[in-house]
Amino acid sequence: ALKEQWLKELASMRERIQEMRKSLVARLQAKGRKNFNFMQKQRGVFSYSGLDQDQVHRLRVAVSYTHLT
């Protein structure tokens, strides 16, 4: 019973991550960004973004600025 519950929860988390990736890719493509379809094919909790160092820095600045306002 406990293993079955764990497997259901695991499947639910896996599906949620896949849906979040799908949504992110769709939003990026709607903004005309480069092709991020490779992100949908990745598995696991972490994923490779394909961003270079400068893009990561700009994203950090934008996110930290958003949290300050």
Side-chain angles (χ1 to χ4, degrees), residues 30-45:
K31 292 187 178 282
R33 304 295 189 241
K34 70 178 190 175
N35 188 336
F36 283 92
N37 284 334
F38 66 91
M39 291 180 80
Q40 283 184 258
K41 297 175 186 174
Q42 295 178 2
R43 299 289 180 249
V45 177

Side-chain angles (χ1 to χ4, degrees), residues 6-59:
W6 175 73
L7 289 172
K8 285 181 183 178
E9 290 174 1
L10 191 61
S12 176
M13 288 187 294
R14 181 177 50 249
E15 290 168 8
R16 178 163 162 67
I17 290 170
Q18 289 172 344
E19 285 302 313
M20 291 174 68
R21 282 191 180 135
K22 183 179 178 180
S23 174
L24 175 62
V25 169
R27 292 175 70 190
L28 289 169
Q29 288 179 338
K31 292 187 178 282
R33 304 295 189 241
K34 70 178 190 175
N35 188 336
F36 283 92
N37 284 334
F38 66 91
M39 291 180 80
Q40 283 184 258
K41 297 175 186 174
Q42 295 178 2
R43 299 289 180 249
V45 177
F46 302 101
S47 94
Y48 175 71
S49 68
L51 299 175
D52 64 31
Q53 188 173 5
D54 184 54
Q55 290 169 319
V56 171
H57 176 72
R58 285 187 287 155
L59 181 59

Side-chain angles (χ1 to χ4, degrees), residues 53-68:
Q53 188 173 5
D54 184 54
Q55 290 169 319
V56 171
H57 176 72
R58 285 187 287 155
L59 181 59
R60 273 192 194 137
V61 170
V63 169
S64 65
Y65 177 75
T66 302
H67 289 290
L68 294 174

